[in-house]
Amino acid sequence: KLKSLLFALSAAAIVTGSAFAQQQPIIIKFSHVVANDTPKGKGAERFKELAEKATKGRVKVEVYPNSTLYKDKEELEALQLGAVQMLAPSLAKFGPLGVKEFEVFDLPYIFPSKEVLYRVTEGPIGRDLFKKLEPKGITGLAYWDNGFKVMSANKPLHTPSDFRGLKMRIQSSKVLDAQMRALGANPQVLAFSEVYQALQTGVVDGTENPPSNLYTQKMHEVQKHVTVSDHGYLGYAVIVNKKFWDGLPSDIRTQLEGAMKDATKYANAIAQQENDAALLAVEKTGKTTVYRLSDKEKAEWRKVLVPVQKQMEIRIDKDLIAAVNKEAA
Ligand code: LMR
């Protein structure tokens, strides 16, 4: 009897031993909704490269760009279910998750410069916002930049009255809804993957996005006018499924944190140049007129849009808005 027990135990030890030795790599599915050739797309590829190198192949990162795995709304649900492990959604897309404070990043003219933005994302405000994701089963790892949005439509957008009656696509953010209504436009939430077709078929008349997104989604083919207004910011939160992240071996987690830190430096370093290049490329196609607001015109836009900050105090804690504005002071 003892003999057969010993035999069984040694057989089990051999099986687990070999399974451990040939342990499959830990898979991180990283899903996102933009083209590869964008700051977020390049940041995701750089993270893949750095993570696989740092963990010596014990982690394999599978990047699924351009909504090829999940579209906007689906991706957050998939992360919470653990169907994917990593995302980098726009900060404008956390409202439906019940974390509306991220919409502070959508407030018109809230960031006078990138320096102010980085003070917010790299300081206590950014950290506190990530803490609000934890009860949703999500861990925030980093903030990636994609810069200031331009407005686009098939008519010139020089003054706020030019927006009157236009159907404007927005992300799922109540602040952006209020922004478009303040301009007299009718906001319509659509998934990013549906924007080109909605513009092409006239479901919506116009939209807003950083030039890198406008260009890589070929929106210049269906938008005759772009206005450089610097009215609003678009950035990302790189997030993981909390259970997956906490369950990693601590040495691997530390290696992945290091890879994320370097990928973040890279993604933020290229964001401005990628958007500047995209805007020039849009102009060079000759299909779209790119208009830069004069200071006088910008003052008119601010007069209409800055009050949205006050209006949104009912939705976003006014102390949070004040704290962000204080960074700008
Ligand atoms: C959008 O939906 O307009 C953007 O959030 C897409 C993106 O992720 O940059």
Side-chain angles (χ1 to χ4, degrees), residues 308-326:
V308 171
Q309 294 187 20
K310 184 95 187 119
Q311 179 192 343
M312 282 290 122
E313 284 180 1
I314 46 160
R315 176 171 173 83
I316 305 168
D317 173 32
K318 70 177 179 13
D319 294 341
L320 173 56
I321 299 175
V324 173
N325 274 317
K326 191 161 161 275

Side-chain angles (χ1 to χ4, degrees), residues 4 8 21 47 50 56 65 82 86 106 118 140 150 162 166 186 190 194 217 257 293 302 305 310:
S4 58
F47 173 71
L50 293 168
K56 296 184 179 57
M86 188 175 280
D106 298 330
Y118 287 135
V150 295
D162 292 330
L166 291 186
N186 302 312
L190 288 173
E194 292 157 13
Q217 297 296 325
E257 283 165 350
L293 290 183
R302 290 180 62 88
L305 287 175
K310 184 95 187 119

Side-chain angles (χ1 to χ4, degrees), residues 249-263:
S250 58
D251 59 334
I252 287 200
R253 190 168 45 247
T254 306
Q255 288 157 0
L256 292 175
E257 283 165 350
M260 182 53 71
K261 195 157 163 271
D262 292 344

Side-chain angles (χ1 to χ4, degrees), residues 32-34 38 40 72 75 88-93 146 149 169-172 190-193 195 207-210 212-213 219 234-236:
H32 68 79
V33 298
V34 295
T38 59
K40 171 160 63 174
D72 274 352
E75 67 173 17
S90 162
L91 297 165
K93 296 182 178 175
N146 196 9
K149 297 174 284 190
R169 180 268 172 175
I170 58 169
Q171 302 169 86
S172 53
L190 288 173
F192 186 59
S193 54
V195 177
T207 186
E208 58 170 3
N209 235 294
S212 57
N213 277 341
M219 294 185 206
L234 194 145
Y236 307 109

Side-chain angles (χ1 to χ4, degrees), residues 57-319:
R58 289 169 66 198
V59 168
K60 186 171 176 319
V61 179
E62 294 172 0
V63 178
Y64 296 91
N66 225 9
S67 306
T68 46
L69 192 62
Y70 292 105
K71 297 197 310 188
D72 274 352
K73 190 174 172 300
E74 299 158 353
E75 67 173 17
L76 276 168
E77 285 155 13
L79 184 84
Q80 286 181 301
L81 291 170
V84 289
Q85 289 69 40
M86 188 175 280
L87 303 175
S90 162
L91 297 165
K93 296 182 178 175
F94 287 85
L97 203 63
V99 189
K100 50 190 189 298
E101 290 83 354
F102 278 90
E103 292 179 10
V104 71
F105 288 98
D106 298 330
L107 288 169
Y109 297 110
I110 192 83
F111 296 114
S113 69
K114 287 282 186 78
E115 290 65 37
V116 173
L117 165 86
Y118 287 135
R119 281 208 292 274
V120 169
T121 53
E122 291 167 11
I125 296 173
R127 275 195 297 277
D128 288 350
L129 285 170
F130 273 171
K131 283 196 193 107
K132 294 179 186 300
L133 295 174
E134 305 275 318
K136 308 290 180 186
I138 295 173
T139 297
L141 296 183
Y143 288 93
W144 285 1
D145 176 24
N146 196 9
F148 292 99
K149 297 174 284 190
V150 295
M151 289 280 199
S152 65
N154 284 314
K155 61 176 280 194
L157 300 171
H158 297 181
T159 68
S161 59
D162 292 330
F163 286 86
R164 200 161 299 137
L166 291 186
K167 291 174 289 186
M168 295 295 283
R169 180 268 172 175
I170 58 169
Q171 302 169 86
S172 53
S173 157
K174 294 289 181 220
V175 168
L176 297 180
D177 183 280
Q179 166 191 282
M180 292 301 183
R181 290 182 195 283
L183 290 164
N186 302 312
Q188 185 155 355
V189 175
L190 288 173
F192 186 59
S193 54
E194 292 157 13
V195 177
Y196 178 89
Q197 193 180 15
L199 291 168
Q200 190 184 38
T201 56
V203 166
V204 289
D205 302 305
T207 186
E208 58 170 3
N209 235 294
S212 57
N213 277 341
L214 187 143
Y215 184 60
T216 53
Q217 297 296 325
K218 303 188 185 327
M219 294 185 206
H220 54 282
E221 291 177 355
V222 289
Q223 296 280 265
K224 293 189 177 58
H225 295 273
V226 159
T227 296
V228 178
S229 50
D230 292 337
H231 68 282
Y233 174 72
L234 194 145
Y236 307 109
V238 187
I239 56 178
V240 285
N241 173 290
K242 184 173 185 323
K243 196 157 160 280
F244 163 78
W245 189 251
D246 293 348
L248 287 170
S250 58
D251 59 334
I252 287 200
R253 190 168 45 247
T254 306
Q255 288 157 0
L256 292 175
E257 283 165 350
M260 182 53 71
K261 195 157 163 271
D262 292 344
T264 300
K265 274 199 202 111
Y266 167 75
N268 290 341
I270 65 168
Q272 192 58 54
Q273 73 200 39
E274 292 280 310
N275 279 289
D276 293 346
L279 192 61
L280 284 179
V282 166
E283 262 178 318
K284 265 174 73 180
T285 64
K287 295 175 188 270
T288 301
T289 306
V290 175
Y291 183 77
R292 291 162 176 81
L293 290 183
S294 66
D295 289 346
K296 185 171 169 296
E297 286 165 329
K298 216 176 243 190
E300 269 187 70
W301 284 51
R302 290 180 62 88
K303 205 161 76 192
V304 168
L305 287 175
V306 169
V308 171
Q309 294 187 20
K310 184 95 187 119
Q311 179 192 343
M312 282 290 122
E313 284 180 1
I314 46 160
R315 176 171 173 83
I316 305 168
D317 173 32
K318 70 177 179 13
D319 294 341

